[in-house]
Amino acid sequence: MRKPDGKIVLLGDMNVGKTSLLHRYMERRFPDTVSTVGGAFYLKQWRSFNISIWDTAGREQFHGLGSMYCRGAAAVILTYDVNHLQSLIELEDRFLGLTDTASKDCLFAIVGNKVDLTEEEATESREKEERTPGKAIGGYVSPRVPKQVQLEDAVALYKKILKYKMLDEKEVPAAEQMCFETSAKTGYNVDLLFETLFDMVVPVIVRQRAEEPAQTVDISSSKPPKRTRSGCCT
Ligand SMILES: Nc1nc2c(ncn2[C@@H]2O[C@H](COP(=O)(O)OP(=O)(O)OP(=O)(O)O)[C@@H](O)[C@H]2O)c(=O)[nH]1
Ligand SMILES: [Mg+2]
């Protein structure tokens, strides 16, 4: 297997939907998930690059592994649940510190998942259901909750991250480009999230490669060893 050229890591509290987002993107479906143990990765070929995307466990007991997964990462996706304010707070309190091992020019995306459960989304689907009655599967309608976290809250966190990393706002992508709202369930914005990031990490990977010490020796430029006369065989 070819060594990955770059790495993207998904971080965030348990239950926010990291595994589901990755399944939605890689497998185009929304299967039942179990809470992740440790971590797992997918490989994605993007242009001529091989990018590994790491799914990590949000459970407290695996917290110590996070900084190991982030080592050398070209991008980190900080994921929260739009219906659960604490999951956004945790990103700053518990997860941001784990990214200290990431590449120095690591990109940060902030992703609010599960927008399909919000009331705004519900109003639209209710209107659709009214137009097509009897469409709800088995008569079950998911409980809807008011959206607890607004996109502006994510933008504010992005700006805090730049300060924490001592990055100049002018030299990194704008907050509006890096804050997404998604639904792993419906697929809303999932391709946009991953593919925007892939395009952005390619230059980071190219820079990382250029800075790596050469792994190979150029044999054409090395001189052959001088013949030495020795003993009876000459
Ligand atoms: N309605 C809805 N449910 C979602 C969405 N994404 C995930 N879920 C559900 O949320 C639960 C947790 O999803 P996971 O993807 O396992 O969450 P996780 O962040 O990987 O959790 P850990 O592995 O424990 O860190 C599952 O029941 C998913 O079906 C979404 O976009 N909308
Ligand atoms: Mg998981």
Side-chain angles (χ1 to χ4, degrees):
M1 186 179 72
R2 210 181 114 189
K3 187 174 168 277
D5 300 301
K7 171 157 88 167
I8 297 179
V9 184
L10 279 149
L11 285 184
D13 209 353
M14 65 181 284
N15 213 38
V16 297
K18 301 177 294 298
T19 304
S20 303
L21 282 167
L22 206 42
H23 277 150
R24 167 58 74 192
Y25 182 68
M26 296 299 296
E27 295 170 6
R28 324 305 293 167
R29 58 195 191 99
F30 179 66
D32 286 340
T33 53
V34 286
S35 187
T36 305
V37 172
F41 76 97
Y42 277 90
L43 267 186
K44 172 77 187 175
Q45 171 102 37
W46 188 253
R47 309 195 197 292
S48 60
F49 297 93
N50 237 355
I51 298 174
S52 59
I53 315 171
W54 283 84
D55 179 22
T56 61
R59 274 197 276 169
E60 187 85 52
Q61 71 200 94
F62 297 110
H63 195 62
L65 297 175
S67 59
M68 187 185 83
Y69 289 121
C70 286
R71 186 160 302 137
V76 172
I77 302 176
L78 292 163
T79 318
Y80 66 93
D81 174 347
V82 291
N83 308 300
H84 193 212
L85 179 61
Q86 189 58 29
S87 67
L88 183 83
I89 296 171
E90 293 285 309
L91 288 180
E92 189 183 349
D93 290 356
R94 200 151 68 86
F95 292 96
L96 184 56
L98 300 177
T99 65
D100 290 350
T101 53
S103 158
K104 68 174 176 3
D105 42 8
C106 178
L107 296 161
F108 292 88
I110 303 184
V111 175
N113 190 39
K114 304 198 188 181
V115 279
D116 59 284
L117 292 177
T118 64
E119 280 187 335
E120 293 139 58
E121 178 79 7
T123 314
E124 280 170 31
S125 9
R126 217 175 293 125
E127 281 166 8
K128 262 189 219 154
E129 274 164 25
E130 275 163 18
R131 285 197 299 272
T132 50
K135 275 272 173 186
I137 303 158
Y140 175 76
V141 180
S142 321
R144 308 292 185 174
V145 285
K147 194 162 128 191
Q148 275 200 22
V149 189
Q150 306 305 320
L151 201 55
E152 302 82 72
D153 302 322
V155 168
L157 174 62
Y158 184 78
K159 291 186 176 167
K160 276 190 191 170
I161 293 175
L162 299 190
K163 270 203 185 135
Y164 172 78
K165 299 278 174 188
M166 293 192 282
L167 292 168
D168 186 342
E169 256 185 66
K170 291 183 214 88
E171 285 169 16
V172 295
E176 292 67 27
Q177 271 180 288
M178 301 308 276
C179 295
F180 299 80
E181 286 189 333
T182 59
S183 167
K185 185 172 180 178
T186 65
Y188 176 71
N189 272 350
V190 176
D191 287 359
L192 178 76
L193 161 69
F194 283 102
E195 295 179 358
T196 302
L197 267 189
F198 294 154
D199 277 338
M200 285 182 174
V201 297
V202 164
V204 177
I205 291 171
V206 171
R207 257 198 316 276
Q208 279 178 340
R209 265 194 196 168
E211 284 165 13
E212 264 173 24
Q215 301 280 315
T216 50
V217 177
D218 180 1
I219 51 171
S220 62
S221 64
S222 62
K223 288 184 188 145
K226 274 187 186 164
R227 286 203 176 178
T228 49
R229 289 174 172 247
S230 66
C232 61
C233 302
T234 54

